[in-house]
Amino acid sequence: MIYWQIFMANFISNILGYGGGPATIPLLEHEVVGRYGWFTTQEYSEMVALGNGLPGPIATKLAAYIGYEQGGVLGALVGLFGSVAPSMILMLILLGILLKYKNSPKVQRLTQYIRPIIAVLLGIMTYDFFFSAYEGSGILHTIILSVASLILLERFKVSPVFVVLGALIYGAIFLG
C-alpha cells in the first residue's frame, strides 16, 4: 500500500504541476505533508532547500528522496516513476496521434518547421557546452577531446557511449 501512495503522491503532483518543478513543489507538499503526514513542513522545506542545491530537476530529486524515506530503494524507484509517468504518458499519446496522422499534409509541414528549430537549439547547446568546457578545462584539453571524439565517431564509427566513457576517463586522469 505504501508504494501505491508514493506513486500517487508523485503522479498527482506532477500531472497537475504544469510549469515544471517550481509548480510541483507546493502540490507535492500538500500530498506528503498534508495528506499522508510523512513529513512536517519544516522537514519538507529542508528537502526542497537541499534539492535546490543539487543539480538536476527538483521534482525527481524530491520524488526519489520521499520514496526512499518511505519505502527504501524500491520506494525511490516508485517515486521516480510516479514523477516521470505523467510526461511519459502524454508523450506516448502525442506520439500515437502523430503516427496516426503522419501522412497528413499539416503534420508533415509541422515536422518540416520543427526540424530547423531543433537543429538551431542543438547548435546553441553545443556552443554553450564547448565554451563551458573550455573555461573549465582549458583550450588544449577541449581541443584534444573534441578532435578525438570527432575522429572516433565519424571515422571509426565508435558508439557515443564509449566516446563519453573515454572522455570521462581522460578527464579523471588529466583533469582530476
Side-chain angles (χ1 to χ4, degrees), residues 15-128:
I15 204 161
L16 296 176
Y18 181 77
T24 305
I25 292 170
L27 297 169
L28 190 57
E29 178 187 16
H30 172 74
E31 293 293 315
V32 301
V33 174
R35 183 172 183 192
Y36 294 113
W38 293 333
F39 301 96
T40 64
T41 303
Q42 177 65 30
E43 290 170 330
Y44 186 77
S45 66
E46 289 172 4
M47 282 190 311
V48 171
L50 179 63
N52 277 326
L54 298 172
I58 186 74
T60 54
K61 291 180 282 191
L62 290 174
Y65 183 79
I66 291 165
Y68 183 78
E69 283 293 312
Q70 298 306 309
V73 174
L74 182 58
L77 294 173
V78 168
L80 280 172
F81 181 69
S83 176
V84 299
S87 298
M88 183 180 68
I89 291 167
L90 292 173
M91 289 301 295
L92 289 173
I93 291 169
L94 178 62
L95 180 63
I97 292 169
L98 283 175
L99 288 176
K100 182 177 180 181
Y101 297 105
K102 69 181 177 185
N103 295 325
S104 163
K106 290 180 181 178
V107 171
Q108 290 176 350
R109 197 169 35 248
L110 174 71
T111 304
Q112 289 174 345
Y113 292 148
I114 290 175
R115 282 185 182 148
I117 294 168
I118 292 172
V120 168
L121 290 173
L122 288 172
I124 292 169
M125 183 181 70
T126 302
Y127 178 85
D128 290 342

